[in-house]
Amino acid sequence: MACNECSAFSQDGKYFGYCGADGKLKVWETQSGVLNQEYTPNLHLSSPCTCLTWLASRNSTSPRKKKRRKSAEGQTETDIVALGTVAGNILLYSVASGSIVGQLEGAHSSTVNHVAWSRECSLFSCDDQNIVEWNVCDKSVRSKWKVGKERVTCLLVLPDGSSLLAAGCTIGMWDVPSKQLLCRFTGHASEVTSLTLVPGNENYFISSAKSDHLLSAWSLSSKNTDRNSVASFVMEDVAVCVSLCSTDSSSMVAVTRSGVLHLYRHQLNGKCAKPLKPKVTVKIASDMGQTKDAVQPIPIIGALKQGTNILLAHGSPLYLSFEIISPNEQEKVLHLVRQDPKKNAVSKDRILSKVKFPDAGDSVEYVSPTATVATLSKRGKKLKSDVPMEERLENLSLTRHETGRHEPPRAESMAHLLMQGLVSKDKKILQNVLMRKDPALISSTVMRLSLQCTVPLLKELVTLVQGKRVASQIAVLWLKAVVRSHAAHLMSNSEVRETLSPILGLVETRLSLLAPLSRLRGRLDLLVDQIQESSKRNADGDLGESLLVYQDQDSDEGSGMEDAALGSESEDNWEELSEIDMEEEVEEGVEDIDMSS
């Protein structure tokens, strides 16, 4: 069964393969429900898988023999998975060996969209505009041709081996030997995602599209000149998996993107006017409790039609469960209540694990991982066993006299603590060690450090240098000691340049501000000195010598005599003026008398 999705059952239903977005191939055994293999290809993230197809399957009921017969394709009797990748290569993975047994490369320059297989030892693959025919035996290219301007997304090899269906939005049938287009079907409005041949009635095939809620049936008969679909099947969502049984061509199952399975019952024989509805719809849910919200749906990932039975894969890509159901066609909607596959996987892992889990009662006391074993005193009382972090640091870094006083820390203990803090990235230990200003202790500690701790120490010091003043000064002492002791190692390490680049930029910035700051400091010192001197003189009461003295040109005596002289002259003038006024008044009185007489 070819499927352009990254999940598919093997032809016999023994295995289920899934390849997700992470590029890892997972293979489950459907009978036991156990994840059998998990393979991670090279460059699985940059070149993930785009399609998955099972190439071969051998049903063997006889006991396994020591020597396995070779098949016609040159492989052992086992299943082969073909994985198309984004890089344009095709990986051939063997389930029996659990490894890649071959790689087809050199024909595609872009993403492989689909891989189709025929039993005549031919493998077909397609990219956007090319179809390539491979020889699996010698891993060579048999032929390659261009199909046109339309992007090819899906292939289907017809049973005669000489015809091939290639689909984009439309579907074209090609003659492989002549590379000629025989006919073209109408197709879908969006890109086709799967093409499935109807077994037992090989004149029909089923197609599904990327954004179409209909499955379409097409006729391959040369007598039919109508290139439109002869029948359509209604779904509630886009189909991700379509399966038909070789013994029952009248039934078909389809799994939708929402995780619902539809079972159809129809015998294709000519054109059908109305779209066909599903006979049975199967949904699976898990019952977590009594409330309605506790019912969680379990999506169906894939399905394989096996006669009257249906093999289901439901759950998530990480936790899958497999079961075979035979739905009652009298019911339109069949609801199945199953346990969450995740819980089943956890319980199975616990059963299969060799680790013994002890039975713990209510009297068990759980202690923290850092606690020591509790001891009992003579009276039977339980003693405290937790040791604080401060005491542990003191025990590691300091020694004591008999008097109980602390001695200065030794370089050996400091180096041990520093390496422990750098490895565990414990801020408390690093602060306890790095916040020391003793140059001799710093130099001895740095000399005892291992080379692996040099770069992590530089990163911590870079952070401290960019901090406050005290931390920056201490970090400079440590930086000098590191450069002096491990200069050769630092010069040969390419990471040091990127680590020290913030410090170099910080030093350049501070050097550019050094000259203006020095001038400003000199002026401030002069002002402060003057202010202090003046305040000191005011406090002592001594005003000091006058800065400026002004003296008049004349002396004090001359100015007094002049004032006296000026004063006498004014008095004489006052007397003369008073006499003249009196005479004028007398004359005015005599004149008045004469006039009256």
Side-chain angles (χ1 to χ4, degrees):
M1 178 183 65
C3 179
N4 74 322
E5 296 290 334
C6 288
S7 64
F9 282 96
S10 61
Q11 293 182 353
D12 57 355
K14 184 179 180 181
Y15 298 106
F16 180 79
Y18 175 84
C19 190
D22 56 356
K24 297 181 180 180
L25 174 65
K26 299 180 180 180
V27 180
W28 280 269
E29 287 186 358
T30 57
Q31 186 174 3
S32 60
V34 177
L35 179 61
N36 187 17
Q37 297 177 14
E38 182 174 357
Y39 177 75
T40 303
N42 295 332
L43 303 176
H44 63 285
L45 295 179
S46 60
S47 179
C49 299
T50 56
C51 55
L52 181 152
T53 301
W54 292 88
L55 300 188
S57 179
R58 296 289 184 270
N59 297 326
S60 59
T61 57
S62 59
R64 183 178 299 178
K65 299 180 181 180
K66 293 182 179 181
K67 295 183 179 180
R68 296 179 178 177
R69 294 179 300 173
K70 297 290 183 178
S71 64
E73 292 79 11
Q75 303 291 342
T76 58
E77 291 186 351
T78 183
D79 292 297
I80 304 295
V81 182
L83 301 172
T85 63
V86 174
N89 302 328
I90 300 175
L91 306 178
L92 301 179
Y93 178 82
S94 174
V95 178
S97 61
S99 61
I100 297 294
V101 295
Q103 183 173 354
L104 308 179
E105 55 185 354
H108 295 288
S109 59
S110 59
T111 303
V112 178
N113 295 330
H114 194 254
V115 177
W117 172 72
S118 68
R119 292 184 178 274
E120 283 72 20
C121 191
S122 294
L123 185 70
F124 294 88
S125 61
C126 66
D127 52 22
D128 289 346
Q129 295 181 355
N130 297 310
I131 298 176
V132 179
E133 182 183 6
W134 302 87
N135 189 348
V136 182
C137 298
D138 55 4
K139 301 177 181 60
S140 62
V141 178
R142 284 186 174 179
S143 60
K144 178 180 179 180
W145 70 94
K146 190 174 182 180
V147 296
K149 297 182 180 180
E150 186 177 359
R151 182 172 180 264
V152 182
T153 58
C154 190
L155 299 175
L156 175 62
V157 183
L158 298 181
D160 56 3
S162 61
S163 301
L164 177 72
L165 294 176
C169 291
T170 61
I171 304 172
M173 186 169 64
W174 292 81
D175 182 63
V176 176
S178 62
K179 310 297 184 296
Q180 296 294 325
L181 180 64
L182 300 179
C183 64
R184 186 172 291 277
F185 299 93
T186 306
H188 297 262
S190 57
E191 294 180 345
V192 176
T193 56
S194 70
L195 295 172
T196 308
L197 188 68
V198 178
N201 190 358
E202 298 175 353
N203 291 326
Y204 296 94
F205 69 94
I206 308 295
S207 65
S208 64
K210 186 176 181 179
S211 303
D212 201 343
H213 290 197
L214 290 175
L215 294 176
S216 299
W218 310 84
S219 176
L220 293 172
S221 177
S222 58
K223 299 180 181 179
N224 186 13
T225 58
D226 187 7
R227 299 308 175 187
N228 296 321
S229 61
V230 296
S232 59
F233 303 87
V234 180
M235 298 181 297
E236 64 179 23
D237 202 349
V238 180
V240 295
C241 176
V242 178
S243 177
L244 294 94
C245 181
S246 59
T247 59
D248 186 9
S249 60
S250 63
S251 63
M252 176 181 64
V253 294
V255 178
T256 63
R257 185 174 50 187
S258 58
V260 178
L261 181 139
H262 295 304
L263 172 62
Y264 299 92
R265 180 74 66 178
H266 177 71
Q267 183 67 45
L268 291 173
N269 187 12
K271 194 173 183 63
C272 184
K274 296 182 180 179
L276 301 173
K277 295 181 180 180
K279 192 73 174 178
V280 181
T281 300
V282 180
K283 298 181 180 181
I284 302 178
S286 63
D287 190 2
M288 304 295 294
Q290 300 297 328
T291 61
K292 184 178 180 180
D293 297 336
V295 178
Q296 298 294 332
I298 300 176
I300 300 175
I301 304 297
L304 181 65
K305 191 74 169 61
Q306 296 177 330
T308 58
N309 299 327
I310 303 174
L311 175 60
L312 297 180
H314 55 82
S316 64
L318 295 178
Y319 303 100
L320 283 178
S321 292
F322 302 90
E323 66 173 307
I324 298 176
I325 64 172
S326 181
N328 184 8
E329 297 184 5
Q330 300 299 326
E331 300 180 5
K332 292 293 183 181
V333 180
L334 179 62
H335 293 278
L336 302 178
V337 179
R338 298 292 184 267
Q339 190 175 2
D340 191 357
K342 183 177 180 180
K343 293 186 175 181
N344 290 334
V346 173
S347 61
K348 289 180 181 179
D349 292 341
R350 187 159 185 170
I351 293 173
L352 297 176
S353 176
K354 296 181 180 180
V355 179
K356 301 272 184 191
F357 293 91
D359 295 332
D362 298 335
S363 61
V364 176
E365 179 181 358
Y366 295 92
V367 297
S368 61
T370 58
T372 57
V373 180
T375 57
L376 297 176
S377 62
K378 293 182 179 180
R379 297 182 179 179
K381 295 182 179 180
K382 186 176 293 186
L383 300 177
K384 294 182 178 180
S385 58
D386 290 336
V387 180
M389 179 60 70
E390 292 79 8
E391 295 185 9
R392 296 182 187 180
L393 293 176
E394 291 177 0
N395 294 334
L396 289 174
S397 61
L398 302 176
T399 56
R400 296 185 180 183
H401 285 296
E402 295 179 356
T403 57
R405 296 181 180 180
H406 292 290
E407 289 183 355
R410 297 180 180 179
E412 295 86 353
S413 59
M414 289 283 292
H416 179 72
L417 273 178
L418 182 57
M419 287 188 291
Q420 182 180 358
L422 292 174
V423 172
S424 62
K425 297 182 180 181
D426 193 332
K427 298 296 183 182
K428 194 169 185 179
I429 296 178
L430 293 175
Q431 184 178 5
N432 187 27
V433 175
L434 296 178
M435 290 293 105
R436 298 185 183 275
K437 294 184 179 181
D438 188 358
L441 180 62
I442 292 174
S443 179
S444 302
T445 303
V446 171
M447 291 179 64
R448 288 173 171 82
L449 280 179
S450 61
L451 295 179
Q452 291 80 5
C453 297
T454 306
V455 176
L457 177 59
L458 282 179
K459 294 180 181 179
E460 294 293 336
L461 295 178
V462 168
T463 306
L464 291 178
V465 168
Q466 299 174 356
K468 296 182 179 179
R469 179 181 177 184
V470 177
S472 179
Q473 291 177 351
I474 297 175
V476 170
L477 297 177
W478 282 90
L479 276 175
K480 290 181 179 179
V482 172
V483 174
R484 190 186 309 113
S485 302
H486 303 284
H489 175 67
L490 296 179
M491 292 176 64
S492 62
N493 195 337
S494 60
E495 297 182 8
V496 176
R497 183 175 181 180
E498 297 180 358
T499 304
L500 294 180
S501 58
I503 296 182
L504 297 177
L506 183 62
V507 170
E508 293 294 335
T509 303
R510 293 184 178 179
L511 287 176
S512 63
L513 298 176
L514 182 60
L517 288 175
S518 299
R519 291 194 296 268
L520 179 61
R521 182 177 179 180
R523 294 176 183 178
L524 291 176
D525 289 342
L526 289 175
L527 291 176
V528 171
D529 292 341
Q530 291 178 4
I531 293 173
Q532 290 179 354
E533 187 69 21
S534 62
S535 61
K536 182 178 180 181
R537 290 176 180 177
N538 291 332
D540 297 340
D542 184 12
L543 299 178
E545 297 180 357
S546 301
L547 298 177
L548 178 64
V549 178
Y550 176 78
Q551 186 176 1
D552 196 2
Q553 296 179 359
D554 298 334
S555 62
D556 296 340
E557 295 178 357
S559 61
M561 293 175 66
E562 184 178 359
D563 293 338
L566 291 173
S568 59
E569 183 178 1
S570 61
E571 289 177 358
D572 294 340
N573 293 333
W574 174 258
E575 290 177 358
E576 293 178 357
L577 291 173
S578 62
E579 289 178 359
I580 293 173
D581 293 336
M582 290 179 65
E583 290 178 357
E584 291 178 354
E585 290 177 359
V586 172
E587 291 178 358
E588 291 178 356
V590 173
E591 292 178 357
D592 294 333
I593 294 172
D594 293 337
M595 292 176 67
S596 60
S597 60

